[in-house]
Amino acid sequence: MGVIRKTKTVEVLLNEFNKRAVAISAKNLIKQFQTSFNKTTIYRVLDKLEEDGVLHSFLGKDGLKWYAKCKGCSASEHNDLHPHFQCLNCGKVDCLSESVKLPEIPNRKIKVSQLLIQGTCDTCYL
Amino acid sequence: MGVIRKTKTVEVLLNEFNKRAVAISAKNLIKQFQTSFNKTTIYRVLDKLEEDGVLHSFLGKDGLKWYAKCKGCSASEHNDLHPHFQCLNCGKVDCLSESVKLPEIPNRKIKVSQLLIQGTCDTCYL
DNA sequence: AATATACTGCAACGTTGTTGCATTAACAAA
DNA sequence: TTTGTTAATGCAACAACGTTGCAGTATATT
Ligand SMILES: [Zn+2]
Ligand SMILES: [Zn+2]
Ligand SMILES: [Zn+2]
Ligand SMILES: [Zn+2]
């Protein structure tokens, strides 16, 4: 399907992802824009933006859904196999550009992988 | 705290993990034993078994909580940094003994990591 | 057997996310 | 600009997974 119309919600959410260079959770966006948009709308716009290859999603440490901007993805090809880092202190989540070398697994066909690294981020690192 | 009393629930659940060599989701156990045990009890026993170093937990592809037997863990030291494999066809989840080499991340302190590999398992692999 | 308390079941609740449907707004054609 | 099509939205209700409080029960110790 894909995002077709340039609505207020799409504009505002996209602007948020452009402004902040980090990943943002759906929960966070819903809280931030609760006076402007309904949570259902936010979930649906995020879905569409992911289908379109504008955002990619992954699960954070508590199973919450996070989104971040894609680099070089399209609706037909998603390239989001990079690891993510979540700070256990401030909760911030970043995309890591470093690639992961997956272990060898006999007799199995690997399709996707998600690596979530947790620890202390540069800001919280004392 | 730890598991102290050998109750029926503990016995049955532990037996289940010993019988099957794979990871089991809380959801699965609740469904399987819904006539025998209350879901609250199952959640609590799993919690305790994890605290005791008998089981370790991780999140599967949908954010569901999975448990598997620990090898060489204790209440004081948990050694569950191995990756897991989830079959996209049959849903089965295994612990992988292979270790993962984490990417270098400057200015951050790594505490935990969870790697979930998804694909087709040996049984479903045609 | 009596006691202390860990464990259990139940009901009610919390959070994240989804669905159905009526209304509104975006876009294009007239 | 006006009109018409239909995607997008808001709302309420729901669904799934998991948690909490509390009263009653079972375990282990004396
Ligand atoms: Zn931080
Ligand atoms: Zn990312
Ligand atoms: Zn399989
Ligand atoms: Zn494991």
Side-chain angles (χ1 to χ4, degrees):
Chain A
M1 235 178 214
V3 176
I4 300 182
R5 300 182 179 178
K6 289 181 183 168
T7 64
K8 191 104 186 179
T9 321
V10 171
E11 185 197 342
V12 169
L13 289 186
L14 268 186
N15 177 53
E16 196 64 21
F17 279 99
N18 286 328
K19 207 165 55 185
R20 300 156 67 176
V22 295
I24 315 178
S25 67
K27 177 184 179 181
N28 230 305
L29 288 170
I30 288 164
K31 189 179 180 188
Q32 181 176 355
F33 296 110
Q34 57 187 344
T35 54
S36 324
F37 308 113
N38 186 274
K39 65 171 179 173
T40 311
T41 304
I42 294 179
Y43 279 121
R44 289 198 271 229
V45 167
L46 291 172
D47 268 359
K48 293 230 161 184
L49 288 173
E50 184 172 22
E51 279 176 22
D52 259 20
V54 180
L55 300 178
H56 64 278
S57 75
F58 56 93
L59 300 182
K61 70 183 177 70
D62 303 311
L64 292 197
K65 206 161 189 185
W66 289 73
Y67 289 86
K69 283 209 81 180
C70 283
K71 293 169 187 171
C73 290
S74 68
S76 54
E77 201 178 335
H78 247 294
N79 221 15
D80 50 0
L81 296 179
H82 55 272
H84 294 95
F85 182 91
Q86 180 158 27
C87 178
L88 292 168
N89 184 247
C90 68
K92 188 174 70 178
V93 177
D94 298 305
C95 296
L96 299 178
S97 49
E98 292 86 356
S99 69
V100 203
K101 190 175 283 180
L102 295 181
E104 290 293 320
I105 317 173
N107 298 325
R108 273 174 276 205
K109 195 181 199 173
I110 295 180
K111 290 213 177 119
V112 203
S113 79
Q114 46 188 273
L115 172 58
L116 181 69
I117 301 176
Q118 296 170 56
T120 317
C121 79
D122 47 358
T123 311
C124 298
Y125 192 9
L126 306 178
Chain B
M1 238 180 211
V3 175
I4 300 181
R5 300 182 180 179
K6 290 181 183 168
T7 65
K8 190 104 187 180
T9 322
V10 171
E11 184 197 342
V12 168
L13 289 186
L14 267 186
N15 178 53
E16 197 63 21
F17 279 99
N18 286 327
K19 207 165 56 186
R20 301 156 66 175
V22 295
I24 316 178
S25 67
K27 178 185 178 180
N28 229 305
L29 288 169
I30 288 164
K31 190 181 178 187
Q32 181 176 355
F33 296 109
Q34 57 187 344
T35 55
S36 325
F37 308 113
N38 187 273
K39 65 172 179 173
T40 311
T41 305
I42 294 179
Y43 279 120
R44 288 197 272 228
V45 167
L46 291 173
D47 269 359
K48 291 230 163 185
L49 288 173
E50 184 172 23
E51 279 176 22
D52 258 20
V54 179
L55 301 179
H56 63 279
S57 75
F58 56 94
L59 300 183
K61 70 182 176 71
D62 302 310
L64 292 197
K65 206 161 187 184
W66 289 73
Y67 289 85
K69 283 207 80 178
C70 283
K71 293 168 186 170
C73 290
S74 67
S76 54
E77 201 177 335
H78 247 295
N79 221 15
D80 49 0
L81 297 178
H82 56 271
H84 294 95
F85 182 90
Q86 180 158 27
C87 178
L88 292 168
N89 183 247
C90 67
K92 188 175 71 177
V93 178
D94 298 305
C95 296
L96 299 178
S97 50
E98 292 87 356
S99 68
V100 202
K101 190 176 282 177
L102 296 182
E104 291 293 320
I105 317 172
N107 298 325
R108 274 173 276 207
K109 195 182 200 171
I110 296 179
K111 291 213 175 118
V112 201
S113 79
Q114 46 189 274
L115 172 58
L116 181 69
I117 301 176
Q118 297 170 57
T120 317
C121 79
D122 47 357
T123 310
C124 298
Y125 191 11
L126 307 178

Tab-separated table of all heavy atoms in Angstrom, chain B residues 23-66:
chain	number	residue	atom	x	y	z
B	23	ALA	N	13.753	-24.420	24.018
B	23	ALA	CA	13.178	-23.359	24.820
B	23	ALA	C	11.651	-23.450	24.778
B	23	ALA	O	11.077	-23.966	23.826
B	23	ALA	CB	13.639	-22.011	24.304
B	24	ILE	N	11.003	-22.972	25.826
B	24	ILE	CA	9.541	-23.000	25.895
B	24	ILE	C	9.059	-21.616	26.308
B	24	ILE	O	9.624	-21.006	27.218
B	24	ILE	CB	9.041	-24.046	26.919
B	24	ILE	CG1	9.822	-25.373	26.769
B	24	ILE	CG2	7.562	-24.289	26.757
B	24	ILE	CD1	9.410	-26.421	27.794
B	25	SER	N	8.031	-21.144	25.655
B	25	SER	CA	7.494	-19.831	26.014
B	25	SER	C	6.538	-19.943	27.183
B	25	SER	O	5.888	-20.972	27.390
B	25	SER	CB	6.775	-19.206	24.817
B	25	SER	OG	5.617	-19.949	24.504
B	26	ALA	N	6.453	-18.873	27.936
B	26	ALA	CA	5.512	-18.828	29.062
B	26	ALA	C	4.099	-19.076	28.545
B	26	ALA	O	3.335	-19.847	29.133
B	26	ALA	CB	5.606	-17.472	29.761
B	27	LYS	N	3.780	-18.459	27.431
B	27	LYS	CA	2.470	-18.631	26.814
B	27	LYS	C	2.151	-20.098	26.581
B	27	LYS	O	1.059	-20.579	26.875
B	27	LYS	CB	2.446	-17.871	25.483
B	27	LYS	CG	1.169	-18.005	24.712
B	27	LYS	CD	1.274	-17.315	23.361
B	27	LYS	CE	-0.010	-17.505	22.551
B	27	LYS	NZ	0.076	-16.832	21.237
B	28	ASN	N	3.121	-20.790	26.055
B	28	ASN	CA	2.996	-22.209	25.768
B	28	ASN	C	2.719	-23.039	27.012
B	28	ASN	O	1.838	-23.892	27.028
B	28	ASN	CB	4.315	-22.685	25.159
B	28	ASN	CG	4.079	-23.470	23.899
B	28	ASN	OD1	3.331	-24.433	23.923
B	28	ASN	ND2	4.686	-23.038	22.808
B	29	LEU	N	3.496	-22.755	28.057
B	29	LEU	CA	3.345	-23.499	29.304
B	29	LEU	C	1.985	-23.242	29.928
B	29	LEU	O	1.344	-24.145	30.463
B	29	LEU	CB	4.455	-23.104	30.280
B	29	LEU	CG	5.842	-23.627	29.926
B	29	LEU	CD1	6.898	-22.970	30.790
B	29	LEU	CD2	5.886	-25.142	30.068
B	30	ILE	N	1.546	-21.988	29.843
B	30	ILE	CA	0.247	-21.631	30.410
B	30	ILE	C	-0.869	-22.388	29.705
B	30	ILE	O	-1.779	-22.918	30.346
B	30	ILE	CB	0.018	-20.114	30.319
B	30	ILE	CG1	0.925	-19.400	31.314
B	30	ILE	CG2	-1.429	-19.754	30.569
B	30	ILE	CD1	1.071	-17.927	31.061
B	31	LYS	N	-0.746	-22.483	28.393
B	31	LYS	CA	-1.770	-23.202	27.630
B	31	LYS	C	-1.730	-24.694	27.937
B	31	LYS	O	-2.754	-25.333	28.160
B	31	LYS	CB	-1.551	-22.966	26.135
B	31	LYS	CG	-2.692	-23.481	25.280
B	31	LYS	CD	-2.418	-23.237	23.801
B	31	LYS	CE	-3.564	-23.800	22.938
B	31	LYS	NZ	-3.229	-23.709	21.496
B	32	GLN	N	-0.509	-25.223	27.987
B	32	GLN	CA	-0.350	-26.658	28.204
B	32	GLN	C	-0.861	-27.111	29.568
B	32	GLN	O	-1.410	-28.196	29.705
B	32	GLN	CB	1.132	-27.017	28.046
B	32	GLN	CG	1.440	-28.493	28.218
B	32	GLN	CD	2.908	-28.794	27.951
B	32	GLN	OE1	3.660	-27.906	27.557
B	32	GLN	NE2	3.308	-30.029	28.168
B	33	PHE	N	-0.666	-26.252	30.562
B	33	PHE	CA	-1.032	-26.655	31.923
B	33	PHE	C	-2.194	-25.851	32.486
B	33	PHE	O	-2.311	-25.703	33.700
B	33	PHE	CB	0.187	-26.529	32.839
B	33	PHE	CG	1.300	-27.455	32.471
B	33	PHE	CD1	2.473	-26.973	31.917
B	33	PHE	CD2	1.163	-28.825	32.656
B	33	PHE	CE1	3.501	-27.829	31.558
B	33	PHE	CE2	2.186	-29.691	32.307
B	33	PHE	CZ	3.356	-29.196	31.756
B	34	GLN	N	-3.045	-25.364	31.604
B	34	GLN	CA	-4.121	-24.491	32.071
B	34	GLN	C	-5.119	-25.218	32.971
B	34	GLN	O	-5.763	-24.595	33.809
B	34	GLN	CB	-4.842	-23.851	30.884
B	34	GLN	CG	-5.408	-24.834	29.887
B	34	GLN	CD	-5.961	-24.107	28.655
B	34	GLN	OE1	-6.176	-22.906	28.680
B	34	GLN	NE2	-6.193	-24.845	27.580
B	35	THR	N	-5.214	-26.520	32.803
B	35	THR	CA	-6.149	-27.247	33.661
B	35	THR	C	-5.530	-27.564	35.018
B	35	THR	O	-6.249	-27.783	35.985
B	35	THR	CB	-6.590	-28.560	32.989
B	35	THR	OG1	-5.430	-29.308	32.653
B	35	THR	CG2	-7.389	-28.285	31.733
B	36	SER	N	-4.218	-27.568	35.079
B	36	SER	CA	-3.554	-27.928	36.340
B	36	SER	C	-3.147	-26.724	37.173
B	36	SER	O	-3.312	-26.717	38.378
B	36	SER	CB	-2.303	-28.749	36.054
B	36	SER	OG	-2.470	-29.602	34.944
B	37	PHE	N	-2.604	-25.701	36.505
B	37	PHE	CA	-2.054	-24.575	37.262
B	37	PHE	C	-2.570	-23.240	36.756
B	37	PHE	O	-2.848	-23.063	35.578
B	37	PHE	CB	-0.522	-24.573	37.183
B	37	PHE	CG	0.110	-25.877	37.560
B	37	PHE	CD1	0.772	-26.641	36.623
B	37	PHE	CD2	0.022	-26.347	38.869
B	37	PHE	CE1	1.351	-27.848	36.961
B	37	PHE	CE2	0.596	-27.559	39.221
B	37	PHE	CZ	1.260	-28.309	38.264
B	38	ASN	N	-2.626	-22.295	37.653
B	38	ASN	CA	-2.998	-20.938	37.307
B	38	ASN	C	-1.825	-20.249	36.619
B	38	ASN	O	-0.675	-20.487	36.941
B	38	ASN	CB	-3.374	-20.198	38.595
B	38	ASN	CG	-3.930	-18.826	38.291
B	38	ASN	OD1	-3.177	-17.874	38.158
B	38	ASN	ND2	-5.232	-18.745	38.141
B	39	LYS	N	-2.152	-19.352	35.686
B	39	LYS	CA	-1.084	-18.689	34.939
B	39	LYS	C	-0.183	-17.851	35.842
B	39	LYS	O	1.026	-17.786	35.626
B	39	LYS	CB	-1.666	-17.814	33.825
B	39	LYS	CG	-2.490	-16.650	34.308
B	39	LYS	CD	-2.869	-15.710	33.171
B	39	LYS	CE	-3.720	-14.561	33.692
B	39	LYS	NZ	-3.982	-13.544	32.667
B	40	THR	N	-0.772	-17.248	36.861
B	40	THR	CA	0.039	-16.454	37.795
B	40	THR	C	1.110	-17.313	38.440
B	40	THR	O	2.271	-16.911	38.548
B	40	THR	CB	-0.847	-15.857	38.899
B	40	THR	OG1	-1.967	-15.228	38.291
B	40	THR	CG2	-0.077	-14.863	39.720
B	41	THR	N	0.715	-18.502	38.841
B	41	THR	CA	1.663	-19.416	39.459
B	41	THR	C	2.787	-19.766	38.494
B	41	THR	O	3.968	-19.771	38.870
B	41	THR	CB	0.940	-20.706	39.887
B	41	THR	OG1	-0.147	-20.345	40.732
B	41	THR	CG2	1.873	-21.632	40.620
B	42	ILE	N	2.433	-20.039	37.259
B	42	ILE	CA	3.443	-20.399	36.268
B	42	ILE	C	4.431	-19.251	36.061
B	42	ILE	O	5.645	-19.455	36.082
B	42	ILE	CB	2.766	-20.801	34.945
B	42	ILE	CG1	1.960	-22.088	35.161
B	42	ILE	CG2	3.795	-20.974	33.837
B	42	ILE	CD1	1.230	-22.576	33.942
B	43	TYR	N	3.897	-18.038	35.918
B	43	TYR	CA	4.792	-16.882	35.765
B	43	TYR	C	5.728	-16.767	36.965
B	43	TYR	O	6.920	-16.495	36.821
B	43	TYR	CB	3.975	-15.592	35.635
B	43	TYR	CG	3.434	-15.321	34.257
B	43	TYR	CD1	2.073	-15.200	34.042
B	43	TYR	CD2	4.286	-15.183	33.159
B	43	TYR	CE1	1.555	-14.937	32.766
B	43	TYR	CE2	3.786	-14.932	31.891
B	43	TYR	CZ	2.415	-14.801	31.697
B	43	TYR	OH	1.923	-14.551	30.449
B	44	ARG	N	5.183	-16.970	38.159
B	44	ARG	CA	6.003	-16.790	39.356
B	44	ARG	C	7.049	-17.877	39.510
B	44	ARG	O	8.197	-17.610	39.892
B	44	ARG	CB	5.086	-16.712	40.585
B	44	ARG	CG	4.328	-15.385	40.615
B	44	ARG	CD	3.741	-15.075	41.986
B	44	ARG	NE	2.410	-15.639	42.159
B	44	ARG	CZ	1.362	-14.955	42.641
B	44	ARG	NH1	1.479	-13.690	42.977
B	44	ARG	NH2	0.193	-15.538	42.802
B	45	VAL	N	6.685	-19.106	39.186
B	45	VAL	CA	7.655	-20.196	39.288
B	45	VAL	C	8.785	-19.986	38.277
B	45	VAL	O	9.971	-20.167	38.601
B	45	VAL	CB	6.968	-21.561	39.076
B	45	VAL	CG1	7.999	-22.658	38.871
B	45	VAL	CG2	6.087	-21.888	40.272
B	46	LEU	N	8.432	-19.575	37.069
B	46	LEU	CA	9.457	-19.302	36.058
B	46	LEU	C	10.408	-18.208	36.536
B	46	LEU	O	11.624	-18.311	36.393
B	46	LEU	CB	8.801	-18.911	34.731
B	46	LEU	CG	8.038	-20.016	33.995
B	46	LEU	CD1	7.295	-19.463	32.796
B	46	LEU	CD2	8.975	-21.135	33.576
B	47	ASP	N	9.840	-17.169	37.100
B	47	ASP	CA	10.648	-16.085	37.680
B	47	ASP	C	11.669	-16.621	38.671
B	47	ASP	O	12.852	-16.306	38.617
B	47	ASP	CB	9.739	-15.104	38.431
B	47	ASP	CG	9.264	-13.972	37.538
B	47	ASP	OD1	9.645	-13.945	36.349
B	47	ASP	OD2	8.499	-13.123	38.023
B	48	LYS	N	11.183	-17.441	39.568
B	48	LYS	CA	12.042	-17.964	40.633
B	48	LYS	C	13.110	-18.898	40.102
B	48	LYS	O	14.253	-18.874	40.536
B	48	LYS	CB	11.180	-18.713	41.658
B	48	LYS	CG	10.280	-17.788	42.437
B	48	LYS	CD	10.401	-18.035	43.916
B	48	LYS	CE	9.818	-16.845	44.661
B	48	LYS	NZ	10.014	-16.967	46.110
B	49	LEU	N	12.710	-19.728	39.155
B	49	LEU	CA	13.685	-20.646	38.571
B	49	LEU	C	14.778	-19.862	37.846
B	49	LEU	O	15.930	-20.281	37.814
B	49	LEU	CB	12.989	-21.616	37.607
B	49	LEU	CG	12.115	-22.679	38.279
B	49	LEU	CD1	11.334	-23.478	37.246
B	49	LEU	CD2	12.972	-23.617	39.134
B	50	GLU	N	14.406	-18.715	37.296
B	50	GLU	CA	15.428	-17.888	36.652
B	50	GLU	C	16.342	-17.244	37.697
B	50	GLU	O	17.565	-17.238	37.533
B	50	GLU	CB	14.772	-16.808	35.793
B	50	GLU	CG	15.815	-15.986	35.042
B	50	GLU	CD	15.195	-15.041	34.028
B	50	GLU	OE1	14.009	-14.689	34.188
B	50	GLU	OE2	15.907	-14.650	33.081
B	51	GLU	N	15.754	-16.743	38.744
B	51	GLU	CA	16.553	-16.166	39.842
B	51	GLU	C	17.547	-17.184	40.388
B	51	GLU	O	18.661	-16.834	40.764
B	51	GLU	CB	15.644	-15.738	41.001
B	51	GLU	CG	14.961	-14.393	40.810
B	51	GLU	CD	14.002	-14.109	41.969
B	51	GLU	OE1	14.172	-14.701	43.054
B	51	GLU	OE2	13.062	-13.307	41.761
B	52	ASP	N	17.121	-18.410	40.423
B	52	ASP	CA	17.962	-19.474	40.964
B	52	ASP	C	19.028	-19.969	40.001
B	52	ASP	O	19.832	-20.830	40.354
B	52	ASP	CB	17.085	-20.671	41.341
B	52	ASP	CG	16.851	-20.714	42.830
B	52	ASP	OD1	17.018	-19.662	43.468
B	52	ASP	OD2	16.504	-21.792	43.352
B	53	GLY	N	18.979	-19.475	38.750
B	53	GLY	CA	19.979	-19.927	37.790
B	53	GLY	C	19.651	-21.269	37.177
B	53	GLY	O	20.495	-21.916	36.574
B	54	VAL	N	18.413	-21.708	37.318
B	54	VAL	CA	18.006	-22.968	36.714
B	54	VAL	C	17.558	-22.740	35.271
B	54	VAL	O	17.851	-23.514	34.379
B	54	VAL	CB	16.858	-23.611	37.518
B	54	VAL	CG1	16.408	-24.914	36.889
B	54	VAL	CG2	17.293	-23.820	38.960
B	55	LEU	N	16.842	-21.648	35.064
B	55	LEU	CA	16.407	-21.267	33.723
B	55	LEU	C	16.972	-19.895	33.372
B	55	LEU	O	17.345	-19.120	34.247
B	55	LEU	CB	14.875	-21.194	33.657
B	55	LEU	CG	14.060	-22.446	33.977
B	55	LEU	CD1	12.574	-22.132	33.884
B	55	LEU	CD2	14.424	-23.587	33.038
B	56	HIS	N	17.029	-19.612	32.070
B	56	HIS	CA	17.291	-18.238	31.640
B	56	HIS	C	16.173	-17.832	30.704
B	56	HIS	O	15.515	-18.687	30.108
B	56	HIS	CB	18.653	-18.118	30.951
B	56	HIS	CG	18.774	-18.898	29.692
B	56	HIS	ND1	19.040	-20.248	29.668
B	56	HIS	CD2	18.645	-18.544	28.398
B	56	HIS	CE1	19.088	-20.682	28.429
B	56	HIS	NE2	18.839	-19.659	27.616
B	57	SER	N	15.928	-16.549	30.589
B	57	SER	CA	14.836	-16.082	29.753
B	57	SER	C	15.326	-15.124	28.686
B	57	SER	O	16.393	-14.538	28.797
B	57	SER	CB	13.777	-15.385	30.605
B	57	SER	OG	14.226	-14.102	30.987
B	58	PHE	N	14.530	-14.981	27.663
B	58	PHE	CA	14.834	-14.033	26.582
B	58	PHE	C	13.544	-13.778	25.822
B	58	PHE	O	12.543	-14.471	26.039
B	58	PHE	CB	15.909	-14.616	25.660
B	58	PHE	CG	15.544	-15.955	25.099
B	58	PHE	CD1	14.929	-16.056	23.874
B	58	PHE	CD2	15.800	-17.119	25.817
B	58	PHE	CE1	14.570	-17.293	23.357
B	58	PHE	CE2	15.443	-18.362	25.314
B	58	PHE	CZ	14.824	-18.439	24.079
B	59	LEU	N	13.560	-12.782	24.952
B	59	LEU	CA	12.355	-12.443	24.206
B	59	LEU	C	12.429	-13.009	22.796
B	59	LEU	O	13.431	-12.854	22.109
B	59	LEU	CB	12.183	-10.927	24.144
B	59	LEU	CG	12.052	-10.225	25.502
B	59	LEU	CD1	11.819	-8.727	25.305
B	59	LEU	CD2	10.933	-10.832	26.332
B	60	GLY	N	11.371	-13.662	22.374
B	60	GLY	CA	11.284	-14.197	21.020
B	60	GLY	C	10.900	-13.119	20.026
B	60	GLY	O	10.873	-11.934	20.352
B	61	LYS	N	10.583	-13.526	18.820
B	61	LYS	CA	10.411	-12.555	17.740
B	61	LYS	C	9.220	-11.614	17.942
B	61	LYS	O	9.204	-10.526	17.402
B	61	LYS	CB	10.305	-13.271	16.398
B	61	LYS	CG	9.031	-14.066	16.187
B	61	LYS	CD	9.062	-14.789	14.836
B	61	LYS	CE	7.856	-15.666	14.631
B	61	LYS	NZ	6.604	-14.906	14.399
B	62	ASP	N	8.224	-12.040	18.688
B	62	ASP	CA	7.073	-11.167	18.892
B	62	ASP	C	7.095	-10.474	20.245
B	62	ASP	O	6.102	-9.917	20.676
B	62	ASP	CB	5.777	-11.978	18.771
B	62	ASP	CG	5.689	-12.659	17.420
B	62	ASP	OD1	5.882	-11.981	16.405
B	62	ASP	OD2	5.441	-13.882	17.382
B	63	GLY	N	8.233	-10.554	20.917
B	63	GLY	CA	8.330	-9.960	22.239
B	63	GLY	C	7.810	-10.881	23.331
B	63	GLY	O	7.709	-10.465	24.484
B	64	LEU	N	7.473	-12.110	22.968
B	64	LEU	CA	7.024	-13.076	23.970
B	64	LEU	C	8.209	-13.584	24.776
B	64	LEU	O	9.316	-13.691	24.261
B	64	LEU	CB	6.342	-14.267	23.306
B	64	LEU	CG	5.017	-14.019	22.614
B	64	LEU	CD1	4.290	-15.327	22.396
B	64	LEU	CD2	4.150	-13.080	23.430
B	65	LYS	N	7.932	-13.945	26.031
B	65	LYS	CA	9.002	-14.390	26.897
B	65	LYS	C	9.210	-15.890	26.786
B	65	LYS	O	8.274	-16.670	26.925
B	65	LYS	CB	8.698	-14.011	28.351
B	65	LYS	CG	9.937	-13.845	29.198
B	65	LYS	CD	9.678	-13.041	30.452
B	65	LYS	CE	10.963	-12.743	31.190
B	65	LYS	NZ	10.708	-12.048	32.463
B	66	TRP	N	10.444	-16.277	26.554
B	66	TRP	CA	10.808	-17.681	26.433
B	66	TRP	C	11.788	-18.050	27.524
B	66	TRP	O	12.559	-17.214	27.993
B	66	TRP	CB	11.457	-17.946	25.065
B	66	TRP	CG	10.497	-17.879	23.931
B	66	TRP	CD1	9.937	-16.748	23.407
B	66	TRP	CD2	9.962	-18.969	23.177
B	66	TRP	NE1	9.096	-17.081	22.378
B	66	TRP	CE2	9.103	-18.438	22.213
B	66	TRP	CE3	10.156	-20.361	23.227
B	66	TRP	CZ2	8.411	-19.236	21.305
B	66	TRP	CZ3	9.478	-21.156	22.324
B	66	TRP	CH2	8.611	-20.595	21.369
